[in-house]
Amino acid sequence: MAEGGPQPADQMNKDNTALTYQLLECPICLEQMRSPKSLPCLHSFCEECLSTYIVTDLSGEMAAVTSFPCPVCRKITSPVNHSEGKETWAQHFPTNRLLQFFNNHKEMADTPLNCGPCKKQNNQETPAKFLCRGIDTLFCEHCKINFHDIVHELCDVVTLHEANPDVTRGKQSSITCSKHNLMMDHHCENHKLIGCKKCIITDHQRCDDVTTIKEYCETKKNNLRLDEMEKSLNKAANCMGLMVNAFDQQVESLQRCQDVGLSSISDLRQRINTYLDKKQEEITQEMISKCKAEKAKVDLSKQKCSRLGGAIQITKEASHTALRMEDHLGMIQLFHRGQTEIGACNDLIDDIVYPLESVSINHNLDTNFFTINPSTTLPLGSILAMKQPFIIPDGIGYIQNVDSLLDSRAKKVGTCMIKIPSDQQVCEVHGILLMPTGNIVVSDCKNVKLKLISIKGQYLDGLNTNGHPHDVCLVDDDTMAVATTAGIHVVKVQPSKLTLSTVINVSTSIKCHGLAFMDGHFMVSTSKGIHRVALGGKVMQNHTLSSPCWHLASNTKKNTTFACLQTSSVVNTVVTRLPNGIQIYGIDERIVRNAMGVDVDPEGNVYVCGQDSNNVVQVSANGTKIRELLTSMNGINKPRAISVCGDKFVVTNQSSYENEIHVYQLY
């Protein structure tokens, strides 16, 4: 590869030494490598440097990544063992034996050569100048003349410059295989590996291209591959050099910009020096005044919360005392006081926390500087109060009050879009289910699929159904079912996956609309009646209906199924109790028109969607109290389905093509 004929020995030694030092330099710390580790791309680094790079590079948002780029060539590299922690990845990469060999050779080469007799006689380190090859001893000029030349006249004495470095420092052993302790003198082209004879016989016997390292190098020379590699490396090195030069020019340009800018700033500072004190005092007072006003607002809110918090704590402790002492009168009074305080807590959250904004007051520099003259005032910027949404800490939220159905409120906390790009039809949701995990499952009848959506609106997964899906119900904490025109589909709901478990075939004469699960069987509604369906598919009619029923809900605690009739002629009747455990909600059409979705909360309160009256009605567990929980003023428009879970519930609106989901919280 080299041109221009052979080089002098001195020059070759210098070049080899410089090359060795470059090979031994870690690209990260730029020091001599310690415990060199090689990546699959053949770049080597100190084990400690590589470990620090991996841990640092894969931190923060990259903490879950299972691979990392090479610090030099950026090739993506996987660890030897993914199960190990990132802190141990570096030590599992192979050690570069060749670099270890050069390291040892360099350390010996750096050892000073001192005169042997001086060391023994005077215990001092005198640099040696001569080597006696006969007795393999180093001498300084004084000891050679006064000792060696008198006793050993016929020895072969040479200067250190003439001596072979290997002779003066002791012969270095060849690079040996760490596995078999044999000289590494073979190369496998198939695996790009160097090994000893035993490695080749053991691991590479079936490889096509195995040669000695000498033969491999000769082949590369004869095929001019080394020359081609040199040309490519020259181009690459030149490219990197040009980039480095470009960056140097950019740094120089930045330095010039900095010098000019600093000079300009210094000049400007001199110009405004006479005005600075006055303006500084004015703007300082403005800053203090605005901060003081904002702090007063925050202190007032804090004071309100502290007072109510102290009162709540006293009520809680007093309630424990009254309960322990069986003070029934005091217990009732404290219970009522606790309800009042919980309501006050919700009011504070509603009035203070959710409207609260995070205020930051900053100094805004005015760029419109005027020419200084005796009649002009130079401004030093202005004080701006920037308002951002307040980040509510975890744990702060509305508290559901005890035994206060008519006092509870619903607040909208989110909106989810159901339509996704792959939908072929306009979305039409017939059923919705809020899972205990917080995810939402909807049945999209027009697109014939179930959709899994997070409560924050992220689409997670979809599942096509055999037949158009209608109402849905919960079977257990991670299982749900959907009524379709082809039967009942039981589906496993994972955090981000819907999986069909089984299909319960129902008679083709029964068109499943509403669905509920209770006591180990399904309750299915049709346009004419309600049926009990066993898990094996056996059907038994329970009740005949006078009006269509599209939605069912079950109260497993009381073993009761609620059926919501689409129309009703019943006047002033809220609940009709039937002996078979089914409750038919025939609500006066003056309150609910075209009743659709229905669900029940753990306390037995029932929620009904009025699609044409644009409202959601809440009925107490005993059926004696009824009220409008949400109306069109709350954003309700054509509600179709509803699902309650804990203190949250979700409602579908069919007013838009996207068919939105509104998320509410009871408090």
Side-chain angles (χ1 to χ4, degrees), residues 445-465:
C445 183
K446 285 288 185 70
N447 290 287
V448 197
K449 67 165 59 174
L450 294 177
K451 295 178 180 178
L452 181 63
I453 303 171
S454 74
I455 203 165
K456 294 184 178 180
Q458 180 185 5
Y459 177 77
L460 301 175
D461 192 28
L463 178 68
N464 294 326
T465 58

Side-chain angles (χ1 to χ4, degrees), residues 431-550:
I432 188 168
L433 182 61
L434 178 58
M435 299 293 294
T437 59
N439 289 338
I440 303 169
V441 181
V442 295
S443 62
D444 189 345
C445 183
K446 285 288 185 70
N447 290 287
V448 197
K449 67 165 59 174
L450 294 177
K451 295 178 180 178
L452 181 63
I453 303 171
S454 74
I455 203 165
K456 294 184 178 180
Q458 180 185 5
Y459 177 77
L460 301 175
D461 192 28
L463 178 68
N464 294 326
T465 58
N466 297 328
H468 293 277
H470 296 300
D471 199 11
V472 296
C473 70
L474 187 69
V475 177
D476 56 40
D477 286 347
D478 58 358
T479 308
M480 56 83 64
V482 56
T484 74
T485 53
I488 301 173
H489 289 46
V490 181
V491 178
K492 204 73 174 177
V493 183
Q494 296 171 307
S496 59
K497 182 70 175 177
L498 295 175
T499 306
L500 181 63
S501 294
T502 184
V503 176
I504 301 175
N505 294 316
V506 183
S507 173
T508 55
S509 61
I510 297 177
K511 303 299 182 183
C512 301
H513 292 164
L515 185 68
F517 183 78
M518 185 180 63
D519 196 22
H521 60 270
F522 289 99
M523 301 297 292
V524 178
S525 70
T526 65
S527 59
K528 297 181 179 180
I530 298 177
H531 305 265
R532 183 191 301 267
V533 179
L535 297 180
K538 183 179 179 181
V539 179
M540 181 177 68
Q541 184 168 355
N542 285 58
H543 185 74
T544 301
L545 298 176
S546 59
S547 300
C549 174
W550 285 89

Side-chain angles (χ1 to χ4, degrees), residues 415-420 453 457-459 656-661:
T415 302
C416 306
M417 304 305 295
I418 301 174
K419 187 174 179 60
I420 59 175
I453 303 171
Q458 180 185 5
Y459 177 77
S656 62
Y657 288 113
E658 288 77 13
N659 208 325
E660 300 172 340
I661 300 173

Side-chain angles (χ1 to χ4, degrees), residues 247-432:
F247 292 140
D248 286 340
Q249 293 175 6
Q250 180 68 14
V251 170
E252 291 176 0
S253 175
L254 289 173
Q255 184 62 46
R256 288 193 298 270
C257 291
Q258 175 181 302
D259 294 341
V260 172
L262 291 176
S263 177
S264 175
I265 293 171
S266 178
D267 292 343
L268 177 62
R269 180 64 182 87
Q270 294 300 321
R271 292 173 57 206
I272 66 174
N273 192 50
T274 56
Y275 298 89
L276 186 60
D277 290 340
K278 179 182 176 181
K279 290 302 172 184
Q280 182 180 358
E281 178 65 22
E282 291 175 357
I283 203 166
T284 299
Q285 290 302 321
E286 185 182 355
M287 169 70 82
I288 294 173
S289 176
K290 289 192 175 182
C291 284
K292 184 177 180 179
E294 291 299 331
K295 286 169 63 178
K297 294 178 184 177
V298 175
D299 288 341
L300 180 60
S301 299
K302 176 184 174 183
Q303 189 179 57
K304 291 180 181 179
C305 294
S306 297
R307 287 175 180 173
L308 182 57
I312 291 173
Q313 185 65 28
I314 293 172
T315 301
K316 185 178 71 172
E317 294 173 359
S319 298
H320 291 164
T321 303
L323 182 63
R324 186 174 65 253
M325 299 178 64
E326 296 186 355
D327 180 5
H328 299 141
L329 177 60
M331 200 172 353
I332 293 174
Q333 291 175 335
L334 290 169
F335 185 82
H336 292 163
R337 191 170 84 179
Q339 285 187 318
T340 302
E341 289 173 345
I342 290 174
C345 179
N346 289 329
D347 289 339
L348 271 180
I349 292 174
D350 209 22
D351 296 339
I352 296 177
V353 177
Y354 284 108
L356 189 63
E357 293 177 312
S358 178
V359 180
S360 61
I361 300 177
N362 304 303
H363 173 217
N364 182 43
L365 183 61
D366 191 346
T367 57
N368 296 319
F369 290 105
F370 303 104
T371 303
I372 296 177
N373 58 63
S375 62
T376 303
T377 301
L378 179 66
L380 290 184
S382 59
I383 303 301
L384 295 181
M386 306 295 294
K387 294 185 178 182
Q388 297 177 345
F390 180 71
I391 300 176
I392 301 174
D394 293 338
I396 294 181
Y398 296 116
I399 297 92
Q400 191 168 9
N401 218 331
V402 181
D403 292 345
S404 57
L405 170 63
L406 296 181
D407 294 330
S408 63
R409 291 176 287 177
K411 183 178 181 66
K412 186 176 178 180
V413 294
T415 302
C416 306
M417 304 305 295
I418 301 174
K419 187 174 179 60
I420 59 175
S422 61
D423 288 341
Q424 300 296 318
Q425 302 290 333
V426 174
C427 298
E428 184 176 312
V429 174
H430 283 195
I432 188 168

Side-chain angles (χ1 to χ4, degrees), residues 149-167:
D149 291 350
I150 297 174
V151 181
H152 302 277
E153 296 182 357
L154 300 179
C155 288
D156 183 11
V157 179
V158 295
T159 63
L160 294 185
H161 182 69
E162 299 170 337
N164 188 323
D166 287 341
V167 175

Side-chain angles (χ1 to χ4, degrees), residues 164 166-167 169-173:
N164 188 323
D166 287 341
V167 175
R169 294 164 175 80
K171 291 277 186 181
Q172 298 295 319
S173 59

